[in-house]
Amino acid sequence: MRAMQIPSDHPLLLRIVDDLAERGWSQQNLFLPEALTRALAAECRQRAAEGELAPAAVGRGPFSEIREGIRGDHIQWIEAGQAQACDHYLGLMDSLREAMNRGLFLGLEDFESHFALYPPGAFYLKHVDRFRDDDRRMVSAVLYLNDDWLPEHGGQLRMYLDENLEQDVVPIGGCLVVFLSGDIPHEVLPATRDRLSLTGWFRRRGNELF
Ligand code: OGA
Ligand code: MN
């Protein structure tokens, strides 16, 4: 696979920026080429098979703890230089970061992301991604890595856009959902099969209180 680079004024990225400005979230069903989705899914499965994914914690710093009654996914944070497919993904997210800085003046400085695998039955109760004691997370981005996912498999991302407005996203491979981290409460519903994703947060320089 050749290096995956797209300019920060690519129409797909501009559409995400416009959606964020207008309504605070965006869904792009065909964000990734299939070959890259497959390569990322294989990387996630390999890491899981090697025991590298660990139960995710709730909260941050000294107050974080594992609470399967709140979230049941297994994760591993990714870094540049570990795998070509991950580097392609990080390159795309960097172009998106630039596009958002240009279009929304968010001052996003970095991006942190992890693989997540929800085993059958695992869920993540309704929450907001920005921590109470750390407001650096500005924009959340979830990229799904599942082939042949059907609505009856469950595992929807449910966003609470307004008091009476819920929006469900079926976690189909190649689909990217982006939303403002401080504004949109959301949850992950349980599924009948493994549910794979790469989840990440664009951060500004901010007030880390602890
Ligand atoms: C999260 C999260 C959503 C999803 O990891 O904070 O809300 O659809 N993930 O996986
Ligand atoms: Mn979340």
Side-chain angles (χ1 to χ4, degrees), residues 25-42:
W25 67 283
S26 184
Q27 174 178 353
Q28 300 301 325
N29 290 331
L30 301 172
F31 186 77
L32 275 201
E34 247 178 74
L36 183 52
T37 305
R38 266 201 304 276
L40 290 168

Side-chain angles (χ1 to χ4, degrees), residues 122-137:
F123 53 83
Y124 193 161
L125 294 185
K126 186 173 171 184
H127 65 281
V128 177
D129 283 347
R130 185 181 287 171
F131 298 113
R132 269 187 288 270
D133 60 353
D134 175 356
D135 64 2
R136 287 175 297 171
R137 284 181 171 180

Side-chain angles (χ1 to χ4, degrees), residues 31-195:
F31 186 77
L32 275 201
E34 247 178 74
L36 183 52
T37 305
R38 266 201 304 276
L40 290 168
E43 181 70 25
C44 181
R45 287 203 177 280
Q46 188 186 335
R47 291 177 186 216
E50 288 169 356
E52 291 177 15
L53 271 53
V58 176
R60 70 175 268 288
F63 306 113
S64 72
E65 48 184 346
I66 301 198
R67 305 256 313 260
E68 281 176 16
I70 296 178
R71 71 182 289 192
D73 56 332
H74 290 62
I75 67 165
Q76 189 190 34
W77 294 94
I78 70 166
E79 275 166 43
Q82 294 174 330
Q84 202 188 26
C86 293
D87 288 351
H88 286 316
Y89 160 75
L90 292 172
L92 292 173
M93 291 297 114
D94 206 55
S95 299
L96 175 56
R97 186 180 65 80
E98 265 182 47
M100 292 189 291
N101 280 343
R102 229 174 258 170
L104 304 168
F105 307 104
L106 289 177
L108 303 171
E109 294 201 325
D110 70 15
F111 180 68
E112 54 176 4
S113 67
H114 60 59
F115 280 114
L117 190 155
Y118 289 73
F123 53 83
Y124 193 161
L125 294 185
K126 186 173 171 184
H127 65 281
V128 177
D129 283 347
R130 185 181 287 171
F131 298 113
R132 269 187 288 270
D133 60 353
D134 175 356
D135 64 2
R136 287 175 297 171
R137 284 181 171 180
M138 297 295 286
V139 178
S140 305
V142 192
L143 177 65
Y144 299 107
L145 306 176
N146 307 296
D147 329 304
D148 302 323
W149 194 279
L150 300 172
E152 54 266 37
H153 295 139
Q156 288 87 348
L157 166 67
R158 176 163 293 167
M159 292 183 282
Y160 296 87
L161 301 176
D162 226 318
E163 225 153 281
N164 303 310
L165 186 59
E166 292 171 10
Q167 173 76 33
D168 282 1
V169 177
V170 177
I172 296 173
C175 170
L176 177 75
V177 178
V178 183
F179 57 88
L180 298 177
S181 304
D183 290 2
I184 300 190
H186 55 280
E187 69 177 311
V188 177
L189 302 179
T192 56
R193 47 177 278 202
D194 284 350
R195 177 191 192 272

